[in-house]
Amino acid sequence: MSMGLGSSESRYILSIRVDSTTYQDACDRISLWVHTKRSCYIIAANVHVVMTAYWNRAYRRVLNHAALVTPDGMPLVWGLRRLGIARQPRVYGPDLMLAWCDRATQEQLPIYLYGGTDAMLQCLVQNLQQQFPDLIIAGTHAPPFRPLTSAEEAADIKHIHESGAAVVFVGLGCPKQEEWMARQQGKLNAVMMGVGAAFSFHSGEVSQAPRWMMAWGLEWVYRLCQEPRRLWRRYVLNNTAFLLLFGLQLMNHAMRSILRPEHSSS
């Protein structure tokens, strides 16, 4: 169970904890963690994240040790609803990033942008400052795509510390960004948020699916049409496996629900 404000609810979808939250609640939690100097990380989970964790035990541990795992993809929203959290909304990573930028502006809490490319970060900074004129962007860094040496990683952490950032947005992609955040927990005195493709979207480098497609869980179709060669395996194989495995989980859940009253009355 994640730690937050008040009593939080979670459900396990294919052994991965997904938390019940909203944009308001998530921002409240982040604000609390910033003011209490908690070093922690937030994951926006979609089917790709869940299936990667399903096949990789070490990555699963990374997800289940996060302070907050939001239902980023509509299949996970529907999953939480089927598992008893009836009114769970989607808490989409790119929108959560903007929600926090708005809150950070109000509270004057500096952010840091870590990931992407130099050109992407330049456009991202311009767009964020245009949307949030009073947003404090303490710094940015686009690390090389190759694995970092321990010295390079330590230097990056030092620069982030020196910037005074309260929240670090991490856009390295799955599973790299989650593994990076887990390694920095306890070392980096900030709240880290993995936001994946948000850097590409908010910089204008990649277009987002229309909102109606997102609401119907069809964002993957839009993205597959944009980058078929890179994404076909992720969506076709992962989505099919998720449907089959989560279908089995729901069947087991339904059977337990049927049998439970007999045990509780005895």
Side-chain angles (χ1 to χ4, degrees), residues 125-147:
V125 167
Q126 289 174 354
N127 291 344
L128 289 177
Q129 288 181 330
Q130 185 173 4
Q131 189 168 354
F132 306 101
D134 296 324
L135 179 65
I136 303 170
I137 300 177
T140 67
H141 181 58
F145 289 114
R146 59 168 173 76

Side-chain angles (χ1 to χ4, degrees), residues 77 82 151 158 165 213 239:
V77 174
R82 292 296 299 272
K158 182 173 182 287
M213 293 188 78
N239 288 10

Side-chain angles (χ1 to χ4, degrees), residues 10 22 68 83 142 164 226 230 251:
S10 304
T22 63
L68 181 66
L83 293 172
Q226 286 182 311
R230 185 175 77 86
M251 287 173 59

